[in-house]
Every structure is written in structure tokens, then in C-alpha cells.
Amino acid sequence: MDYKVILLLMLVTQACGEIPEPYYPHPGDPTLLNLIFAIPEELPPYQEDVWDCSNMAAYLEWLLENKGFNTSIVLSIYFPGLGPDECHAWVAVDLPGERVYIEPTLVDGGYPPIIRAKDKEYEYYNRYEIELVDIYDVIDLMNEGQYEWWTEKVI
């Protein structure tokens, strides 16, 4: 290849910079270590009925799916501390040989809130009544708008 073509390619590459994420979603390597680094350091703080567990779970599910993880949103009406007619949402992530859960309301800059299914202290995360594969399942089931994080001004 002519040195002028190589130089031109180098200049074009430098001028354009990197392609922004998630322009090309990639399959990634769905390991626990990569999951730890894929979770954002923090999310906007919890705000009841504005930016709550449902919005946070939907956002985190979308973010991790775009990073190559197989995720779903899980819901429970029997989660500890819930009142009547309340429901809690969190994210399930399928890793090779293991399912883990992420509590979205605890993504606050500390250690990523990953709960392993075998953690007896958090066994209530293994119990849920509804599992939704993606936001389309959520909207089909709920149709309430509370999971539509992209319409909120919080992010």
C-alpha cells in the first residue's frame, strides 16, 4: 500500500475519533468481572414516583443488554418492606452457570449491588412473581408509563 494512502487513513482516523457507544452494540463477554465494570458507578438518586425502582431497573436492564448481557426485569409483591398494592423491581442477569441480581436503588458509587443467588442473606431476591424479558414485555403488561425511564428528565 502506498505510504500516502496509509498517511491519509491515519489522518482520517484521528479526525473522526472513536465511534460513540452504543453505536455498535457488541456481544461482550458476560462474566461476573465484566458485569462489575459494566454497572455505572451511580445512578440519579431514588425519587418516589419519579425515578424509582421501576425506572431504575428498566434503565439498568437496557444499559446492560447493550453491553452484551442477558438480562430481565423481575418483580415481586412480596418483597420485604412493601405495603399493600406495592411492587418492587430489580434486574436479573444470566451469567455462564449462574444467575445474579442487581438492586438498582443501591447503584450509588459504592461496590456494585450484585446479589448472587446463593447468598442466603438476600434469598428474597430469588423469589419473584413476574419476569419480563425486556421493556416491551413491561409495557405490554403494565402500560402505566412508570418504567419508561427515557421520558424522565432525571438522566
Side-chain angles (χ1 to χ4, degrees):
M1 185 179 284
D2 187 358
Y3 78 96
K4 292 179 184 175
V5 173
I6 294 172
L7 183 58
L8 180 61
L9 285 173
M10 289 173 56
L11 290 173
V12 168
T13 302
Q14 288 175 351
C16 294
E18 293 182 13
I19 297 171
E21 290 287 331
Y23 191 83
Y24 288 121
H26 47 82
D29 184 14
T31 64
L32 183 60
L33 181 61
N34 286 342
L35 179 61
I36 290 170
F37 288 107
I39 297 172
E41 288 189 22
E42 59 185 289
L43 294 174
Y46 177 91
Q47 296 176 47
E48 189 172 350
D49 297 326
V50 176
W51 179 251
D52 56 18
C53 64
S54 56
N55 297 100
M56 297 168 112
Y59 173 72
L60 200 53
E61 183 272 338
W62 170 81
L63 183 87
L64 293 174
E65 279 284 337
N66 276 311
K67 292 186 178 193
F69 292 92
N70 182 20
T71 63
S72 57
I73 299 168
V74 292
L75 311 168
S76 177
I77 57 172
Y78 301 113
F79 199 81
L82 292 180
D85 300 324
E86 290 185 320
C87 184
H88 186 57
W90 61 97
V91 178
V93 182
D94 291 320
L95 300 175
E98 178 179 26
R99 175 170 262 204
V100 297
Y101 304 101
I102 302 171
E103 174 53 64
T105 64
L106 298 179
V107 178
D108 62 0
Y111 186 78
I114 297 172
I115 296 125
R116 300 179 91 166
K118 60 187 175 186
D119 291 342
K120 295 295 180 195
E121 185 178 351
Y122 301 103
E123 65 185 352
Y124 42 84
Y125 282 93
N126 290 318
R127 296 185 218 127
Y128 44 86
E129 293 74 54
I130 300 172
E131 180 171 359
L132 303 160
V133 175
D134 55 27
I135 195 64
Y136 302 106
D137 282 354
V138 172
I139 300 304
D140 288 345
L141 178 70
M142 304 292 192
N143 202 17
E144 296 176 8
Q146 66 182 7
Y147 286 81
E148 297 171 358
W149 60 267
W150 57 89
T151 63
E152 301 297 329
K153 294 181 181 179
V154 178
I155 292 201

